[in-house]
Amino acid sequence: MNKGLNRFIPYMLIFPSVVLFVLFILLPIVWVLYLSFTDYTMLNAPEWVGFKNFERLWGDEIFHRAVKNTALYWIGTVIPSMVIGLILANLLALRLRGLALFRAFLYLPGVISSVAVAMTWLWLFDPRQGPINGFLKLIGLEGRNWLQDPKTSLSSVILIGIWVGIGYAMIIFLSGIQSISESLYEAASLDGASGLRKFWHITIPLLKPMTLFLFITATIRSFQVFDLVFVLTGGGPANSSTTVVTQIVGASFQEYKMGYASAMAVFLLAATFVVTVIQYAVGSRNASAE
Amino acid sequence: MKLTKTEQGMAYFVLVLISAITVLPLLIAFFTSMKGDAEFSLGAMSLLPETWHLDNYAKALQKGDWPTYFKNTAIVTIVVVIGSLLINSLSGFTFARISFKGNQPIFLAMLAGMMVPAQVVIIPQFLIMKSIPLFGGNNFLGSGGNGWLDSYYALIIPELAGAFGIFMARQFYLQFPKALDEAAFIDGAGYLRLFFTIYLPQSGPLVATLGIFKFVSVWNDFFHPLIYTNSESMRTLQLGLQVFRGEHGVQYNLLMAASLLVSLPIIVMFFVFQKQFIRSVMASSVKG
């Protein structure tokens, strides 16, 4: 084969990926950074306004609300679904009979689309006919309009977020537990360690990489929560359940304030970047400690 | 681990309890989809329907243009799965098996791009879609029309990229021995032929993992169709479900039937390819 031509072949092979990467990731990042410093309604050309959008963001109470809600969603979903996932993974690792079926059903909420999940819970939470209020009535408690009450709208969405996240955490923890050598547990048993002690002193420390991974991915994903909120509450009532991405979509594609929405997007990018850097730092520290 | 009978009993008990709570919402949705109009709206607390209304599914299908939604989702998902498998595995193969200038930096740059949330770049992506020249009524400078917006292009092209897929493919192809390439080169095979005749036929596990991963994420995607399309003829299943709820939301038995139908292909796939599913989920954590 012609040697000169041969040199170009690798670049031709990755060409489609590179074009897609440049067009849909690299260029958009540069563009969104630029837009965040402009006024842009899609009718005019973008007009440079310096830090005006960020200053406005700093004083925007609805956006504060969105950041606070997103943080609450993060705290409210990540830890509980990881804890429940860890408990389930440990039980599944016992290799009792019928476990494959359990595993499948427990993971099911994780494979259904967020819209279908939202529909299911709209029914469960329905104030007049829904099973949750029906059950509460049965045991003599007062139900409420969970999703349309500012006091409970966000908590209800968080509950659903936990439910969705359990399966993924369970599978990742399970893969971690199954990679732990059986002999470690046997040795501990010979020394007379109880099940709980083995869990604390063998399982938990050896699951550290999975725990870090899950915590970081779940954190980043929670920053992006949108579908559930959009379908369940639309961010309402009175912005009680609005989130950062709900605000981005509202400002850009409903109000056409592209510059202002880009500033919010840059905020989200920065938050994600910080978490990723922390992951990298903690991850490499762990690696060097071992 | 050996467990005593009591320990086993306790483990089962906790497992069954948590499973019941976790699965109950899905069971309720399933049984509600079979309940009659009068029965479900009474708020009856029985889990099972008194009479099984399978016709709810036919009724739900009559409300809304489901064949179109299904066609759109199926076309987009299938094209994306096949296209992204080809593009990503070919790139992963190139990064893994060929040494060329820029191999590492280009790969790492793409990997870093994986961290960027889709929602961060959605605004510029939308503007890029809108200004693709000579499409959707645009002139050759990319203005005047809607470009790729509200078309299959917008739903397919960006999804073909995938740092995760390239990463997984690279990891996969790194495992093969160097001698394999050399033997093939003696035969005079080029890289492309090497990939298609030797590597791709052995990529079963990779194709399963990435294919499932992509299938689920594109089938279930709500965000991109919501932003990129607006006409009814371009609606996907997820958008259709959302619209269905807006129009017939109070008929929860039908809404549950529609939700189940939209999820059915994924659920069936999940139970058939459970092993590969779990593997594709586990694979996502390898990089951690």
Side-chain angles (χ1 to χ4, degrees):
Chain A
M1 208 186 280
N2 184 320
K3 232 181 166 194
L5 189 72
N6 221 343
R7 280 216 335 252
F8 289 105
I9 287 180
Y11 301 101
M12 280 156 66
L13 298 183
I14 60 167
F15 185 70
S17 292
V18 171
V19 169
L20 290 167
F21 173 71
V22 170
L23 199 56
F24 295 113
I25 307 280
L26 204 58
L27 178 64
I29 292 174
V30 178
W31 200 339
V32 79
L33 284 170
Y34 163 69
L35 283 177
S36 70
F37 292 103
T38 66
D39 248 349
Y40 184 43
T41 56
M42 287 183 67
L43 294 174
N44 61 321
E47 183 193 340
W48 186 267
V49 294
F51 282 94
K52 201 189 95 187
N53 288 328
F54 291 97
E55 279 162 22
R56 209 174 122 199
L57 210 56
W58 186 254
D60 183 342
E61 279 182 18
I62 296 177
F63 190 69
H64 289 183
R65 189 71 198 251
V67 172
K68 194 181 131 200
N69 285 346
T70 308
L72 287 172
Y73 182 85
W74 165 59
I75 297 169
T77 56
V78 172
I79 307 276
S81 52
M82 280 176 68
V83 170
I84 301 173
L86 178 63
I87 295 173
L88 287 171
N90 274 285
L91 295 171
L92 290 179
L94 295 175
R95 299 205 199 102
L96 302 175
R97 207 168 295 164
L99 285 194
L101 206 64
F102 274 113
R103 190 184 64 182
F105 276 106
L106 285 167
Y107 188 62
L108 211 46
V111 294
I112 315 171
S113 74
S114 43
V115 183
V117 164
M119 296 312 161
T120 302
W121 285 89
L122 275 171
W123 164 233
L124 295 173
F125 276 133
D126 186 77
R128 277 179 305 144
Q129 306 152 353
I132 290 180
N133 276 1
F135 176 74
L136 290 176
K137 202 171 164 192
L138 206 68
I139 57 171
L141 288 173
E142 190 70 41
R144 51 161 87 214
N145 194 346
W146 301 98
L147 291 164
Q148 291 305 322
D149 182 334
K151 285 203 197 88
T152 52
S153 58
L154 183 66
S155 332
S156 307
V157 177
I158 288 175
L159 181 77
I160 303 169
I162 297 172
W163 184 70
V164 172
I166 291 173
Y168 184 68
M170 177 189 81
I171 297 289
I172 300 294
F173 277 132
L174 185 60
S175 78
I177 293 170
Q178 283 169 346
S179 69
I180 298 174
S181 162
E182 195 80 0
S183 59
L184 280 173
Y185 291 107
E186 280 160 16
S189 301
L190 287 179
D191 291 341
S194 69
L196 208 58
R197 277 183 64 99
K198 281 186 274 189
F199 177 70
W200 271 117
H201 295 286
I202 300 175
T203 314
I204 294 281
L206 287 174
L207 285 182
K208 208 166 151 192
M210 285 81 195
T211 312
L212 177 68
F213 167 79
L214 271 174
F215 184 74
I216 297 292
T217 43
T219 296
I220 291 177
R221 225 185 283 177
S222 73
F223 288 178
Q224 302 164 12
V225 60
F226 171 76
D227 296 3
L228 278 180
V229 174
F230 185 82
V231 178
L232 287 165
T233 67
N239 294 311
S240 59
S241 62
T242 192
T243 63
V244 172
V245 176
T246 317
Q247 288 297 312
I248 294 177
V249 171
S252 53
F253 300 108
Q254 281 156 11
E255 298 172 42
Y256 293 100
K257 293 189 254 177
M258 293 298 187
Y260 190 47
S262 294
M264 297 178 186
V266 169
F267 175 86
L268 176 62
L269 181 64
T272 308
F273 183 72
V274 168
V275 174
T276 309
V277 168
I278 292 174
Q279 170 189 31
Y280 190 74
V282 176
S284 56
R285 205 188 61 202
N286 282 348
S288 61
E290 270 156 22
Chain B
M1 248 190 293
K2 287 269 185 308
L3 292 178
T4 63
K5 272 264 146 61
T6 16
E7 279 177 325
Q8 252 189 34
M10 268 169 63
Y12 262 121
F13 177 75
V14 179
L15 194 59
V16 169
L17 190 74
I18 302 182
S19 307
I21 297 170
T22 314
V23 179
L24 195 60
L26 293 178
L27 284 180
I28 293 177
F30 174 69
F31 290 125
T32 303
S33 77
M34 306 268 196
K35 284 184 178 176
D37 293 343
E39 192 192 348
F40 97 86
S41 62
L42 283 173
M45 284 310 291
S46 71
L47 185 60
L48 298 176
E50 276 165 29
T51 39
W52 293 73
H53 285 268
L54 270 160
D55 55 315
N56 282 350
Y57 286 81
K59 269 194 220 160
L61 283 177
Q62 277 158 15
K63 303 181 184 221
D65 191 3
W66 291 103
T68 301
Y69 311 156
F70 180 82
K71 185 191 84 187
N72 291 339
T73 297
I75 288 177
V76 170
T77 308
I78 290 168
V79 175
V80 168
V81 167
I82 295 174
S84 70
L85 273 174
L86 267 177
I87 292 177
N88 294 340
S89 58
L90 188 58
S91 297
F93 161 81
T94 309
F95 284 122
R97 309 302 305 187
I98 309 177
S99 67
F100 59 94
K101 215 174 158 196
N103 183 322
Q104 283 286 46
I106 299 174
F107 174 69
L108 288 176
M110 286 188 172
L111 206 57
M114 189 161 86
M115 310 297 171
V116 179
Q119 294 87 345
V120 167
V121 287
I122 191 73
I123 295 169
Q125 275 188 2
F126 177 88
L127 298 173
I128 290 171
M129 295 293 173
K130 195 172 159 47
S131 33
I132 300 283
L134 303 175
F135 278 93
N138 275 349
N139 60 20
F140 72 99
L141 287 173
S143 58
N146 282 321
W148 279 354
L149 289 177
D150 207 28
S151 76
Y152 286 134
Y153 295 109
L155 299 179
I156 290 173
I157 310 278
E159 300 294 331
L160 294 176
F164 172 69
I166 297 172
F167 173 80
M168 294 293 299
R170 181 175 171 272
Q171 295 291 94
F172 183 79
Y173 291 124
L174 278 174
Q175 300 164 13
F176 290 86
K178 191 88 200 158
L180 194 61
D181 302 5
E182 281 153 12
F185 273 120
I186 293 165
D187 291 348
Y191 285 123
L192 211 53
R193 242 183 76 194
L194 182 69
F195 174 71
F196 279 108
T197 56
I198 308 224
Y199 282 90
L200 201 57
Q202 298 193 53
S203 305
L206 177 75
V207 168
T209 306
L210 289 184
I212 287 174
F213 187 82
K214 210 56 173 182
F215 191 101
V216 175
S217 71
V218 175
W219 188 279
N220 285 344
D221 191 12
F222 175 66
F223 187 66
H224 291 105
L226 178 74
I227 304 289
Y228 289 153
T229 70
N230 56 35
S231 66
E232 198 184 335
S233 61
M234 280 308 299
R235 235 173 242 165
T236 61
L237 283 173
Q238 307 301 333
L239 285 182
L241 186 56
Q242 157 82 345
V243 171
F244 182 91
R245 178 233 164 175
E247 286 165 5
H248 316 283
V250 284
Q251 285 175 279
Y252 280 107
N253 51 351
L254 300 190
L255 182 63
M256 293 303 107
S259 304
L260 206 90
L261 284 173
V262 165
S263 316
L264 200 61
I266 295 281
I267 295 175
V268 169
M269 226 175 91
F270 174 63
F271 279 104
V272 174
F273 298 109
Q274 220 196 108
K275 228 190 237 161
Q276 287 83 352
F277 244 87
I278 303 288
R279 207 180 292 143
S280 89
V281 174
M282 287 179 174
S284 69
S285 78
V286 177
K287 68 175 187 67

